[in-house]
Amino acid sequence: MKILLAFVFLLPALGNAQDTHDHHSHEGHLHEQMVDGEKLEVDVERFDKFVKGLKDKQIAVVSVKGMVCDFCAQGIEKTFKKDKTVAKIDVDLNKGKVFIAYQMNTKIDFEKIKKMIVSNGQNATKLQVLKL
Amino acid sequence: MAFSGNMYNSLYYHFSPTYRYSVGIESVEDKFFNQQYSYFRFTYLLNRRNTENSQGNLYFQSGLSSDGLDGHFYGLHGDWETRRWFIGFNYRDVKNSLKNYTDQFLQVGVAPYLGAYGDFHTWIMIKTKKNTLLGDWSTFPVLKFFKGNFLIEFGYNDQTEWDAQVMYRF
């Protein structure tokens, strides 16, 4: 039982272990850009890591309701990965956002995104698009 | 999904054409009646409530036994969770050619840390369950871990012994 308890108390360190190696880059400060007069409400480190190395892309930042569980959000990633116009996707559970990188010539359709999110059981409520 | 408990072991494969419902087959090794059979299962999402910080679900669940119409179950399953807290319940009314019974549990949990997407996640939970074939409620601690598409949950009680579940999402 003591071993089990010790294991449980060490879990937070295990869960966050990969974060200790990631240092927040302030290069570019893309997350501080205003989109349609509003600041992006994103997990800064997650977003900076997502856009690192991306060029000539549009980033759709989608606000999603009901996305509280990693296991459930896996389905969102799978759904968008089937879309050939999507270059990259990531999920920001802390802020309830989905980041989707599209090619620059793709017309981003929020209604289509809403349908894809709802097919997984969550609701997309807002779209902000950032051009790199 | 594989489950092992004091009453039965089972292997359940299900497919969700939409998030609203799923159909599947559960192969059951019934330890209490010393029987083996399968359930053709149907689960329907009665209600889902999404908010910025939570999701709540209520499901109707049912199963028809390969032994015939005499063997079937129906019931409700509900859960509500935030990134930090979880509460869930399950209720099944089971008809069996030997004896009818109900099976139910209530589970509450807390996440000791909030991992990011793709991290290793942990829940510390308390589960209390009752099967009318056995009588009393049994309460025990449960640990739940998941990463990516793989989830494992296990609890132990000296009366009912192991209660374990493994799930993989394709």
Side-chain angles (χ1 to χ4, degrees):
Chain A
M1 191 63 182
K2 284 179 184 171
I3 293 171
L4 187 65
L5 284 172
F7 178 63
V8 166
F9 284 111
L10 284 171
L11 282 169
L14 183 66
N16 296 324
Q18 69 185 62
D19 293 340
T20 59
H21 301 293
D22 298 332
H23 299 287
H24 172 209
S25 163
H26 290 270
E27 191 182 340
H29 290 270
L30 275 169
H31 57 268
E32 290 180 358
Q33 277 193 24
M34 302 292 275
V35 180
D36 299 330
E38 288 184 60
K39 199 177 168 187
L40 285 175
E41 290 289 329
V42 293
D43 179 321
V44 172
E45 287 189 16
R46 190 97 198 174
F47 185 75
D48 285 357
K49 198 173 169 183
F50 179 75
V51 296
K52 194 174 180 184
L54 289 177
K55 274 169 63 179
D56 300 324
K57 298 283 186 296
Q58 304 176 82
I59 309 298
V61 177
V62 185
S63 303
V64 179
K65 278 187 175 178
M67 193 175 63
V68 292
C69 160
D70 185 308
F71 200 64
C72 313
Q74 296 285 335
I76 291 179
E77 183 181 346
K78 281 181 187 169
T79 302
F80 280 92
K81 276 187 170 172
K82 288 178 191 165
D83 185 340
K84 298 262 188 280
T85 63
V86 172
K88 191 177 179 184
I89 174 161
D90 194 20
V91 172
D92 171 2
L93 282 178
N94 284 334
K95 299 287 184 183
K97 309 285 183 193
V98 175
F99 307 145
I100 312 158
Y102 290 96
Q103 303 298 340
M104 202 55 107
N105 58 358
T106 304
K107 184 175 182 291
I108 298 176
D109 181 351
F110 190 34
E111 290 307 311
K112 182 183 167 189
I113 290 172
K114 279 181 180 175
K115 281 181 185 168
M116 290 169 84
I117 299 281
V118 93
S119 74
N120 197 59
Q122 288 89 16
N123 301 108
T125 57
K126 186 175 166 185
L127 170 70
Q128 292 173 289
V129 179
L130 195 71
K131 291 184 194 299
L132 299 181
Chain B
M1 182 165 74
F3 174 81
S4 181
N6 58 321
M7 298 298 287
Y8 67 93
N9 297 327
S10 81
L11 192 61
Y12 177 35
Y13 178 80
H14 70 105
F15 170 67
S16 302
T18 80
Y19 75 96
R20 280 273 175 198
Y21 71 96
S22 76
V23 289
I25 293 182
E26 183 177 22
S27 176
V28 181
E29 179 194 0
D30 192 319
K31 294 178 183 176
F32 191 84
F33 293 113
N34 194 24
Q35 288 180 323
Q36 287 198 329
Y37 48 88
S38 295
Y39 277 127
F40 300 99
R41 290 186 54 170
F42 174 73
T43 305
Y44 184 76
L45 176 66
L46 295 169
N47 191 30
R48 170 166 286 169
R49 184 171 164 77
N50 289 324
T51 74
E52 277 178 26
N53 302 309
S54 70
Q55 185 179 74
N57 300 296
L58 183 65
Y59 297 93
F60 166 77
Q61 54 178 332
S62 61
L64 187 62
S65 169
S66 55
D67 283 350
L69 289 173
D70 285 347
H72 62 272
F73 77 84
Y74 57 88
L76 290 172
H77 176 93
D79 57 59
W80 176 86
E81 68 180 300
T82 67
R83 295 207 64 213
R84 179 71 73 183
W85 300 100
F86 174 91
I87 183 163
F89 77 92
N90 194 71
Y91 177 86
R92 268 191 196 187
D93 198 0
V94 185
K95 307 295 179 195
N96 183 309
S97 55
L98 298 173
K99 194 172 183 183
N100 300 337
Y101 61 94
T102 60
D103 191 43
Q104 56 197 306
F105 71 73
L106 180 68
Q107 195 165 358
V108 293
V110 61
Y113 62 91
L114 300 182
Y117 182 67
D119 282 355
F120 182 84
H121 297 265
T122 302
W123 286 92
I124 299 170
M125 302 176 136
I126 295 286
K127 185 173 183 177
T128 183
K129 67 176 186 179
K130 181 184 178 182
N131 186 304
T132 52
L133 292 172
L134 299 177
D136 289 341
W137 286 90
S138 162
T139 304
F140 51 94
V142 170
L143 289 174
K144 182 170 168 177
F145 306 108
F146 59 93
K147 180 170 173 59
N149 292 304
F150 185 76
L151 180 153
I152 184 166
E153 176 180 320
F154 55 91
Y156 183 80
N157 173 300
D158 54 5
Q159 290 172 311
T160 53
E161 299 190 333
W162 288 100
D163 198 283
Q165 185 168 299
V166 177
M167 195 186 300
Y168 185 80
R169 187 171 167 163
F170 294 97

